[in-house]
Amino acid sequence: MDVYPVGCELVWRRAFPGIAEHAHSAREFVAFLLADMPVLDDAVLVTGEFVANALRHTASARPDGRFIVEVRRRPDSATIALTDQGGPKEPTIPNVDDMSECGRGLYMVRALASELTWSGSHAGRTFTATLKDGSR
């Protein structure tokens, strides 16, 4: 897509069941929408990390749980957001070293994205990463 109305972006949103089998579907959803963009690979990685965190740390993985993926596309960037059903722990980006066995997900997203934010509470959080062409 080369033509965007001035000041506009394209936006898609889809809910997925909170089970591991749908992580692939979420990544495919993002890949389809951003297939011709330079940030495609990073967007798919970010989506995978967001989904993994939702399924590992939040109520989205409970029976009948779900998560929502939103994609915002602009001519020179894309934003991936995931809304989960919340969890008891406040998200953090820990300091990791070569011996750390976990905790690299949001650390990696922060390295890939030009901006990483989250908001919400134990009842539900939205994680948002903006990827710009040449953001690294």
Side-chain angles (χ1 to χ4, degrees), residues 53-132:
N53 284 345
L55 297 178
R56 183 173 296 122
H57 302 294
T58 77
S60 292
R62 291 185 181 156
D64 296 325
R66 66 185 177 116
F67 59 90
I68 299 168
V69 175
E70 179 180 279
V71 177
R72 293 180 175 268
R73 180 182 170 138
R74 290 171 292 288
D76 63 345
S77 66
T79 299
I80 309 300
L82 183 139
T83 301
D84 62 40
Q85 292 183 287
K89 294 184 179 180
E90 184 68 27
T92 62
I93 300 176
N95 292 325
V96 294
D97 59 36
D98 291 341
M99 300 303 288
S100 298
E101 293 183 17
C102 61
R104 287 186 168 82
L106 289 178
Y107 184 83
M108 181 191 69
V109 171
R110 183 177 64 185
L112 294 174
S114 60
E115 182 178 6
L116 169 64
T117 62
W118 60 81
S119 61
S121 68
H122 69 281
R125 289 186 179 86
T126 299
F127 291 80
T128 305
T130 299
L131 304 161
K132 293 185 179 180

Side-chain angles (χ1 to χ4, degrees), residues 13-83:
R13 190 175 298 116
R14 182 172 169 196
F16 295 89
I19 54 178
E21 290 80 14
H22 286 277
H24 178 73
S25 299
R27 291 189 308 270
E28 281 186 331
F29 172 66
V30 171
F32 176 78
L33 296 172
L34 304 178
D36 62 335
M37 292 191 74
V39 298
L40 169 65
D41 292 337
D42 291 349
V44 171
L45 279 171
V46 165
T47 302
E49 288 302 324
F50 282 173
V51 171
N53 284 345
L55 297 178
R56 183 173 296 122
H57 302 294
T58 77
S60 292
R62 291 185 181 156
D64 296 325
R66 66 185 177 116
F67 59 90
I68 299 168
V69 175
E70 179 180 279
V71 177
R72 293 180 175 268
R73 180 182 170 138
R74 290 171 292 288
D76 63 345
S77 66
T79 299
I80 309 300
L82 183 139
T83 301

